[in-house]
Amino acid sequence: MKASLLILITGLLFGACQNEPGNGSKTEKDSIVMNTSNRPDPHSFTQEARVNHMGLNLKVDFDNKKIAGTAEYTVAANGADKLYLDIDEVKIDKVWWESPDGEKALAFSLSEKETFLGQALIIDLPKGSDKVYVKYETTEGAKALQWLDAQQTAGKKYPFLFTQSQAILARTWIPIQDGPGFRFSYTAIVEVPRGMMALMSASNPTSTVESGLYRFEMKQAVPAYLMAMSVGKLEFRPLGERTGIYAEAELIDKAAYEFAETETMLEAAEKIYGPYAWDRYDMIVLPPSFPFGGMENPRLTFVTPTILAGDRSLTALIAHELAHSWSGNLVTNATWNDFWLNEGFTVYFERRIMEEISDESYANMLALLGHQDLESEVHDLGKDSEDTHLKLHLEGRNPDDGMTDIAYEKGYFLLRLIEEHVGREPFDAFLKAYFKDNSFKTMTTESFLTLLKSKLISSEDYEVLRIDEWVYGAGIPDNCPKVVSDKFEIVESALNDFKSSGNAKAISSTNWTSHEWLHFIRHIDAEINLEKMTKLDNQFNFTHSGNAEIQAAWFEHTIEKGYTNADEAVEEFLIRVGRRKFLMPLYKSLLKADPTGGKANEIYAKARANYHAVSQESIDELLKK
Ligand code: BES
Ligand code: ZN
């Protein structure tokens, strides 16, 4: 537990309250004792009073790199007289309510800053209304926002802005109840420079509006981590009846080709787990600095351009983000400690979608690569580490620290274990009901386990499968499902042949997908010396592959083995691409190859400004800035 369990907020006395409401109203003077253990979510200041609806009116100012405007909150007080919102580095201009006689200032205070969490904005609720207004603007410290210059876009003529709110960054661009358990609907009016298009995790335009004024509506209640906005010079292309893609003009054809299967995926997903609840499913291709592969913002998945491989081979990521429309966006992890309920279920669902639109052998390749990720994650964290539990303990920590492959892959293998034990049909029926019964609600690990025991498996089977060990124990239990792949066996024998013969031309790789190549490259070991590296590269051109997954996997070896032919490409990649999943292993390899950190820091000095704050934080920590 943290030392600052009890935080005394005495407003003016201790200078914690810098913002006095205008219009001569009284400022909060009473001291408020805030007890961390009373919080319904360990990463939010939210108390009893809850926001049910938000109305945003925002202006996106590229010149000053800020978003400014007002937020209207419709509040259910639930007996409380104060509203607690989360903010982090947001400037509060004024807080008021609309009385019958007009605007009346409301007293408010700010709690002391807490590491990772920011501050509580504590507002006296008015007696005569359930609506409260806040005028605010973002600051340079808004970690959710990445402002890109025109130079950093494909078109090079207009700047670009995107947000990344998960896990707890929504509070850096909107005063908000920022925990996955707090849901609200929202509307927004957003003004952007002429010629540009604004998009949100809501109903979206399909063409640029002359005035630069856009209106959005999200009718379904969503948690704050799914608040999203993107502004750029964008075009829309429909892909199917309910699906479409947004991208810069330079990328739209490529993107439309790459994601052509989206409508089929949507139909496959509905067939397995029931109707899609969000009306449309569109995607936006962001600039390469986007720190993730994809982000499941409702109605508008954000994706990295690094999955535009040209051959539709990396589209499992779309299946993944689409699957979140059920696991995560409909049934939401109650707190970040239950993160595996979002990601493990989604990986399981992703692989079921891929099996449906492709075949079992395809899904099994994904599962095997996932198992490799799981093993290396457990190795990195330590097999006894609490961070290898499915149920996490992130109180007092940055929730981002718990967002490892454990949730994804250990979660996946637990669900696969249950499926294999009870049979697919009963498991699907169980999951379909799980999504239906818990739509727009939150789920804790404990309630899921209770459901599992009451609806799907006997207490005996629960023991036999050692479910508690999976959820509350460390490492990978030894009843983890074994996955076999003929396709990967062929790859392994090709690699072994190459190791002894050194003949790259003899590798018969026609019809290999990205996954086979990844398996191949991941198994390059000490036996592959520089001469063999050269032969592989001459034959398959990994260094300049148009496939970022292949490049990133290959570069780990080129860096560690000192295959200098790739150095220039490595540097170019690290400057252009900000996807954390690629950056972390590559900077780690650079550190391994040069433990003084010289090379890593040299490249980072050129690259850092291109990265989103989420990636900057991780690399700063790795290189101990
Ligand atoms: N919701 C996650 C991204 C995320 C996780 C953002 C935690 C912030 C904190 C998204 O659905 C995701 O898992 N993306 C993966 C892709 C996937 C195919 C595993 C990614 O970005 O690599
Ligand atoms: Zn995910």
Side-chain angles (χ1 to χ4, degrees), residues 147-446:
W147 301 90
L148 297 168
D149 301 333
Q151 265 319 306
Q152 294 166 289
T153 67
K156 315 251 179 262
K157 289 208 180 79
Y158 287 82
F160 203 103
L161 166 69
F162 67 83
T163 64
Q164 170 56 43
S165 296
Q166 196 181 11
I168 54 166
L169 301 180
R171 65 191 68 180
T172 70
W173 68 286
I174 311 171
I176 205 164
Q177 294 190 318
D178 194 3
F182 315 124
R183 305 179 86 95
F184 42 81
S185 50
Y186 75 88
T187 55
I189 299 173
V190 178
E191 189 186 342
V192 302
R194 279 170 191 271
M196 300 188 75
M197 195 191 284
L199 301 171
M200 290 190 81
S201 47
S203 59
N204 275 309
T206 52
S207 57
T208 305
V209 173
E210 253 316 296
S211 64
L213 258 191
Y214 293 86
R215 276 161 218 281
F216 303 91
E217 183 171 27
M218 172 44 82
K219 286 201 176 99
Q220 290 100 326
V222 293
Y225 79 90
L226 297 176
M227 292 298 299
M229 189 195 283
S230 195
V231 182
K233 181 73 181 159
L234 293 162
E235 286 187 10
F236 174 75
R237 182 80 58 82
L239 296 170
E241 228 173 277
R242 286 181 291 169
T243 53
I245 176 84
Y246 294 87
E248 288 189 73
E250 292 73 12
L251 287 176
I252 194 95
D253 287 333
K254 198 170 183 205
Y257 175 81
E258 204 79 34
F259 303 142
E261 298 155 308
T262 310
E263 190 83 19
T264 316
M265 286 183 182
L266 178 55
E267 282 159 11
E270 286 187 308
K271 200 174 109 194
I272 312 175
Y273 294 130
Y276 179 71
W278 306 90
D279 189 21
R280 287 197 57 84
Y281 182 78
D282 296 313
M283 296 157 287
I284 175 175
V285 179
L286 294 171
S289 66
F290 185 53
F292 294 102
M295 177 64 213
E296 66 272 26
N297 298 313
R299 299 183 65 124
L300 185 69
T301 283
F302 283 19
V303 298
T304 170
T306 61
I307 60 166
L308 300 175
D311 59 1
R312 301 180 181 164
S313 61
L314 300 176
T315 52
L317 186 136
I318 302 299
H320 179 95
E321 305 313 332
L322 172 65
H324 272 305
S325 309
W326 287 259
S327 42
N329 299 5
L330 264 192
V331 184
T332 309
N333 51 204
T335 72
W336 297 121
N337 290 333
D338 307 296
F339 183 57
W340 79 278
L341 294 179
N342 270 22
E343 297 300 344
F345 278 61
T346 297
V347 171
Y348 175 81
F349 195 178
E350 163 204 329
R351 292 181 185 152
R352 290 293 307 278
I353 295 171
M354 294 315 287
E355 179 176 333
E356 195 68 30
I357 71 161
S358 188
D359 59 27
E360 199 183 337
S361 71
Y362 192 96
N364 276 341
M365 288 196 289
L366 296 174
L368 271 171
L369 291 171
H371 193 267
Q372 292 164 14
D373 293 335
L374 176 58
E375 285 192 317
S376 84
E377 191 75 270
V378 169
H379 177 265
D380 291 353
L381 294 169
K383 68 173 179 18
D384 301 319
S385 161
E386 282 208 357
D387 287 346
T388 66
H389 297 192
L390 284 176
K391 174 79 180 191
L392 297 169
H393 299 283
L394 297 168
E395 298 81 3
R397 298 172 62 190
N398 188 343
D400 209 40
D401 292 348
M403 298 183 161
T404 69
D405 279 339
I406 299 298
Y408 291 80
E409 298 298 345
K410 192 177 175 184
Y412 165 78
F413 279 102
L414 170 57
L415 295 179
R416 183 162 172 155
L417 175 73
I418 300 171
E419 185 218 295
E420 287 182 1
H421 188 80
V422 301
R424 183 166 277 189
E425 240 180 78
F427 191 54
D428 279 355
F430 169 79
L431 282 184
K432 199 167 182 174
Y434 169 83
F435 291 128
K436 183 159 175 275
D437 298 346
N438 300 289
S439 283
F440 303 104
K441 293 194 187 131
T442 52
M443 184 62 59
T444 62
T445 298
E446 290 64 36

Side-chain angles (χ1 to χ4, degrees), residues 47 81 101 124 151 318 326 400 427 490 507-508 561 589:
Q47 298 284 335
D81 56 4
D101 318 322
D124 275 9
Q151 265 319 306
I318 302 299
W326 287 259
D400 209 40
F427 191 54
I490 293 170
I507 300 172
S508 54
K561 288 178 188 288
S589 293

